Amino acid sequence: MTRREEIAANLAAVRARIERACAAAGRDPDEVTLVVVTKFFPASDVRLLADLGVRHVGENRHQEAVLKAAECHDLELTWHFVGGLQTNKAGPVTGYAHVVESVDRVKLATALDRGAQAHERELDVLVQVSLDPPDRTAGRSGVDPAGLAELAAHVEGLASLRLRGLMAVAPRGADPVQAFAELASIRAEFLRAHPGAEWLSAGMSGDLEAGVAAGATHVRVGSAVLGQRPEIK
Ligand SMILES: *Cc1c(COP(=O)(O)O)cnc(C)c1O
């Protein structure tokens, strides 16, 4: 099997999973955007994905993403930055990312706004919400739900950022159905203050069905499309 055939088969399987999950939830599959997370995989795979109809790709490390986005510039893809982001990398990320899904603090939002202004463009952003138990401090990513309203209000006040919605990752070892149900209730409250910010990025290779059931408009799928990546790089 060629790499193209392998990716095409995986992609068909993932699209079928999304369709089934939408059918089960009584949702239209057109409401769910597949973002293929291409981290650790080469630009040649991104090219194959584009040829197979993928329009959205995601990356989680700036060093890797900046090179791949440049190599694939001609494909006119929408690039999502989905990883933890240091404030000093925010400016460079606005050079190629169309969506930053991992805004988790005021300082980062302000730096992204400044970067977008310098590039004379607007940037779509999602605020990442932590679903980790409050007593877990190690490895947390995302703003604590208690701090969401303040961060979202800050983002909304920034001229070059467009607040589009929320992103979350189900905690390791947690039941994703339960975690995303909690996310859906956080989102319901968030939407009262930000009715236009309807995007919800939730669900990965292992739990995209739970994401779709909870109202996800974006699922971020890596290994189910591209294969296993090394755990640590
Ligand atoms: C890597 C990554 C994904 C994709 O994970 P898979 O389990 O390979 O589908 C999704 N979201 C984020 C934030 C990631 O870093």
Side-chain angles (χ1 to χ4, degrees):
M1 201 164 31
T2 64
R3 181 65 172 149
R4 185 195 161 88
E5 288 164 344
E6 183 186 356
I7 293 177
N10 289 345
L11 206 49
V14 166
R15 287 183 174 138
R17 282 176 63 190
I18 294 171
E19 277 175 27
R20 276 197 304 274
C22 284
R27 300 185 57 201
D28 181 345
D30 289 347
E31 293 172 18
V32 182
T33 298
L34 171 62
V35 179
V36 178
V37 180
T38 49
K39 65 191 186 202
F40 292 94
F41 291 97
S44 55
D45 281 353
V46 178
R47 217 158 264 288
L48 290 172
L49 288 166
D51 201 45
L52 292 164
V54 169
R55 302 310 310 156
H56 294 258
V57 293
E59 287 283 333
N60 75 335
R61 286 164 56 248
H62 168 64
Q63 307 302 18
E64 180 181 343
V66 65
L67 299 175
K68 232 180 276 182
E71 266 185 86
C72 298
H73 188 73
D74 59 302
L75 301 176
E76 296 182 357
L77 294 166
T78 299
W79 291 80
H80 294 241
F81 194 89
V82 302
L85 186 52
Q86 293 172 300
T87 305
N88 66 352
K89 301 276 168 54
V93 164
T94 61
Y96 57 87
H98 303 92
V99 187
V100 173
E101 298 200 9
S102 44
V103 174
D104 61 355
R105 60 197 189 278
V106 162
K107 266 180 104 168
L108 176 58
T110 303
L112 287 168
D113 180 60
R114 216 176 291 133
Q117 272 178 43
H119 288 97
E120 297 183 340
R121 52 182 296 256
E122 294 194 340
L123 180 70
D124 287 327
V125 301
L126 302 182
V127 172
Q128 182 176 355
V129 184
S130 172
L131 301 176
D132 291 320
D135 58 351
R136 159 121 61 105
T137 48
R140 282 174 69 91
S141 52
V143 66
D144 196 87
L148 171 60
E150 191 187 334
L151 177 55
H154 177 78
V155 170
E156 194 141 81
L158 296 169
S160 298
L161 301 190
R162 289 188 294 238
L163 177 64
R164 292 297 198 184
L166 302 179
M167 184 272 252
V169 178
R172 253 174 210 279
D175 172 8
V177 172
Q178 207 174 312
F180 290 151
E182 184 192 334
L183 175 63
S185 92
I186 292 167
R187 181 199 191 200
E189 191 183 327
F190 165 83
L191 280 173
R192 279 200 282 277
H194 306 280
E198 287 180 330
W199 296 5
L200 182 65
S201 177
M204 322 199 300
S205 292
D207 57 16
L208 71 86
E209 288 82 2
V212 169
T217 60
H218 294 71
V219 292
R220 310 176 310 275
V221 180
S223 50
V225 173
L226 293 166
Q228 277 310 118
R229 0 162 240 281
E231 269 297 312
I232 294 163
K233 190 176 188 180

